[in-house]
Amino acid sequence: MAGYVSDAVIRRLPAYNRHLRELEEEGILQISSQELGDRMGLTPSQIRQDINSFGGFGRQGYGYQVKELRQHIRHIMGLDQEHRMVIIGAGRMGQAIANYTGFPRQGFFTEALFDIDPAKIRMGTAEMPVYHADELEERLKELHAVIGVLALPPEAAQDTLDRLYRSGIRAIWNFSPVDLHYPPDMAVVNVHLSDLLQILSYQMKRQQEE
Amino acid sequence: MAGYVSDAVIRRLPAYNRHLRELEEEGILQISSQELGDRMGLTPSQIRQDINSFGGFGRQGYGYQVKELRQHIRHIMGLDQEHRMVIIGAGRMGQAIANYTGFPRQGFFTEALFDIDPAKIRMGTAEMPVYHADELEERLKELHAVIGVLALPPEAAQDTLDRLYRSGIRAIWNFSPVDLHYPPDMAVVNVHLSDLLQILSYQMKRQQEE
DNA sequence: TAGATTGTTAATCGATTAACAATC
DNA sequence: TAGATTGTTAATCGATTAACAATC
């Protein structure tokens, strides 16, 4: 049923999800590929191709039902399930992720942070504990986390990924500026902030030339 | 000289930059497209195409000079210049960006943060001031910033972008989970963290199915 | 010179756009 | 039924890979 959905489409699905939620909030029940394309900056043709790559959810002469389409997309992406996370590295970035309210609202719950700095460990609370990184394997046995977030110095990233893998973690959200090596049964999504800033730098330069 | 460099190549340039820096640190002076491809997970053919899209920096029978190639890439991306930034929103994410040591090391300097919360403003220091958002236009006159970082609630993002544009800012690094509207002479790079987490969720689901 | 490896052209592959018949 | 809009096929476009002549 699900079939193969191309990477290009997958990268757009969160934006579909976001725009359909906005439409829902505006009380709009139905939308055509033309209108949705205008809002999202995509061609109607691409919208129809995208949606049809995972199933025909539209109705000819009418369009798509906002709520129904969003439900399908959420299911395809696995967003109708809850995901538990642990964050390794309780620096400012780790704390920012741990405290971002948008994630639990979308079903992503941070269970604990880990660090090697006693001062950071003391910052932990009952609902958001910070454990010593030495306890990683031990704590993971009870936490039932499925996602490991790497928010630590780049030198420690690869080793920590290996430890997480051995503890059964199969999904990594990496904020360290390194390209990690990982087994084929692991999923890794990188947030290389410096890379993005460099792309912005290039685009600025490009505009000045015009 | 620079010619047109495709978006697909631009997105890879920061990774080239990163790997070439690592090679430099390892004291490696020269590398072939074959070896570099192995390290970066790209085909040698793609590496040669990429590099040749902005100029022939290799030598037949020999390969590429690491230091020279990196210098060229840095120049193309505008990384041989300094860039001043202001961050709007002094929450945890804004603070994390302001304090990340990797950015100034790469020539990106945070001049100031802005917020509407008096408690956040009091957190400012002499080197890293936090001003009231009302003072944005006023302060920008003296700060000579070229990049505006949006690390504030989504409701305020579009309005703040408009204000930054009117104050002469032409580059935006956006951390708010919204799709912004902006004039064609503005450059915007988005970091939609929730989108990336959703992609990770999909990839996890995909692996379980296999 | 012989060997290695680039620069570049051609072939392939995949993604996007256009067109239109199917159908609500 | 007529009008609108999808689903889907075909055409186009761009990016990646393969092949090989040029040359260090």
Side-chain angles (χ1 to χ4, degrees):
Chain A
M1 182 197 171
Y4 175 74
V5 184
S6 80
D7 267 13
V9 175
I10 296 306
R11 276 194 295 272
R12 280 190 292 271
L13 285 186
Y16 280 104
N17 189 18
R18 191 151 22 85
H19 281 91
L20 290 167
R21 187 184 56 221
E22 280 171 23
L23 287 166
E24 247 183 87
E25 282 164 7
E26 291 169 29
I28 293 167
L29 300 176
Q30 154 276 337
I31 196 163
S32 68
S33 58
Q34 176 71 56
E35 286 173 278
L36 188 55
D38 287 345
R39 287 182 80 118
M40 295 185 62
L42 302 174
T43 63
S45 204
Q46 179 162 50
I47 297 217
R48 295 204 297 278
Q49 289 279 22
D50 282 359
I51 293 174
N52 272 76
S53 75
F54 51 77
F57 298 130
R59 237 169 68 203
Q60 274 118 325
Y62 174 83
Y64 301 91
Q65 275 197 270
V66 172
K67 204 167 178 177
E68 185 199 344
L69 179 57
R70 173 143 187 266
Q71 219 48 53
H72 281 297
I73 289 174
R74 284 174 49 79
H75 177 70
I76 286 158
M77 304 202 81
L79 301 176
D80 49 1
Q81 294 174 11
E82 293 190 351
H83 301 275
R84 298 188 191 198
M85 315 195 287
V86 289
I87 301 173
I88 299 90
R92 286 179 221 260
M93 184 53 74
Q95 291 283 347
I97 299 161
N99 288 283
Y100 186 65
T101 53
F103 299 147
R105 216 185 306 137
Q106 295 180 66
F108 296 92
F109 298 95
T110 299
E111 300 293 312
L113 293 92
F114 292 86
D115 209 295
I116 53 168
D117 175 4
K120 302 263 175 58
I121 294 166
R122 261 179 265 118
M123 280 172 60
T125 63
E127 320 88 69
M128 195 62 82
V130 182
Y131 299 121
H132 196 284
D134 288 348
E135 301 174 27
L136 186 60
E137 287 78 2
E138 184 71 19
R139 296 288 183 180
L140 279 173
K141 285 180 196 161
E142 26 181 81
L143 288 172
H144 304 291
V146 292
I147 297 173
V149 182
L150 299 180
L152 34 63
E155 312 83 62
Q158 182 66 58
D159 181 56
T160 304
L161 179 147
D162 296 341
R163 288 173 65 192
L164 287 167
Y165 183 83
R166 286 195 298 272
S167 287
I169 299 283
R170 290 295 177 268
I172 296 288
W173 200 19
N174 174 44
F175 285 77
S176 281
V178 287
D179 289 327
L180 299 161
H181 301 274
Y182 50 91
D185 63 338
M186 196 165 213
V188 174
V189 166
N190 291 297
V191 185
H192 288 154
L193 291 180
S194 297
D195 286 19
L196 296 167
L197 204 41
Q198 292 180 25
I199 289 170
L200 186 59
S201 165
Y202 174 80
Q203 291 184 357
M204 290 166 68
K205 212 184 157 216
R206 209 57 209 276
Q207 294 224 328
Q208 285 158 18
E209 285 165 11
E210 272 161 28
Chain B
M1 182 195 172
Y4 176 74
V5 185
S6 79
D7 267 14
V9 174
I10 296 305
R11 276 194 295 272
R12 280 191 291 272
L13 285 186
Y16 279 104
N17 188 17
R18 190 151 22 87
H19 280 91
L20 289 168
R21 188 183 56 220
E22 281 172 21
L23 287 166
E24 248 182 87
E25 283 163 7
E26 291 170 29
I28 292 166
L29 300 176
Q30 154 278 336
I31 195 162
S32 68
S33 58
Q34 174 71 58
E35 285 173 280
L36 188 56
D38 287 346
R39 285 182 80 119
M40 295 185 61
L42 303 173
T43 63
S45 203
Q46 179 161 50
I47 296 215
R48 295 204 297 279
Q49 289 278 24
D50 283 359
I51 292 173
N52 273 75
S53 75
F54 50 80
F57 298 130
R59 236 167 69 202
Q60 275 120 326
Y62 174 83
Y64 301 90
Q65 276 196 270
V66 172
K67 203 168 178 176
E68 186 200 342
L69 180 56
R70 174 143 186 266
Q71 220 48 53
H72 281 297
I73 289 174
R74 282 173 49 80
H75 177 70
I76 287 158
M77 303 201 84
L79 301 176
D80 48 3
Q81 293 175 11
E82 294 190 351
H83 302 275
R84 298 187 192 199
M85 314 195 287
V86 290
I87 302 174
I88 299 89
R92 286 180 220 261
M93 184 55 72
Q95 291 283 348
I97 298 161
N99 288 282
Y100 185 64
T101 55
F103 299 147
R105 217 187 302 137
Q106 296 180 66
F108 297 92
F109 298 96
T110 299
E111 300 294 311
L113 292 93
F114 293 86
D115 209 295
I116 53 169
D117 175 6
K120 302 261 174 59
I121 294 165
R122 263 180 263 117
M123 281 172 61
T125 63
E127 320 89 69
M128 194 61 83
V130 181
Y131 300 120
H132 195 285
D134 288 347
E135 302 174 26
L136 186 59
E137 286 78 4
E138 185 71 20
R139 296 289 184 179
L140 279 173
K141 286 180 197 162
E142 26 182 80
L143 287 172
H144 303 290
V146 291
I147 298 173
V149 182
L150 299 181
L152 34 66
E155 311 83 61
Q158 182 65 57
D159 182 56
T160 303
L161 178 146
D162 296 341
R163 289 173 65 192
L164 288 167
Y165 183 83
R166 287 194 297 270
S167 287
I169 299 283
R170 290 294 177 271
I172 295 288
W173 201 18
N174 173 44
F175 285 78
S176 280
V178 286
D179 289 326
L180 298 162
H181 302 275
Y182 50 92
D185 64 338
M186 197 167 213
V188 174
V189 166
N190 291 297
V191 184
H192 289 154
L193 291 179
S194 297
D195 286 19
L196 296 167
L197 204 41
Q198 290 179 26
I199 290 170
L200 186 60
S201 165
Y202 174 80
Q203 291 184 357
M204 290 167 68
K205 213 184 157 214
R206 210 59 209 274
Q207 294 224 327
Q208 284 158 19
E209 284 166 10
E210 271 161 29

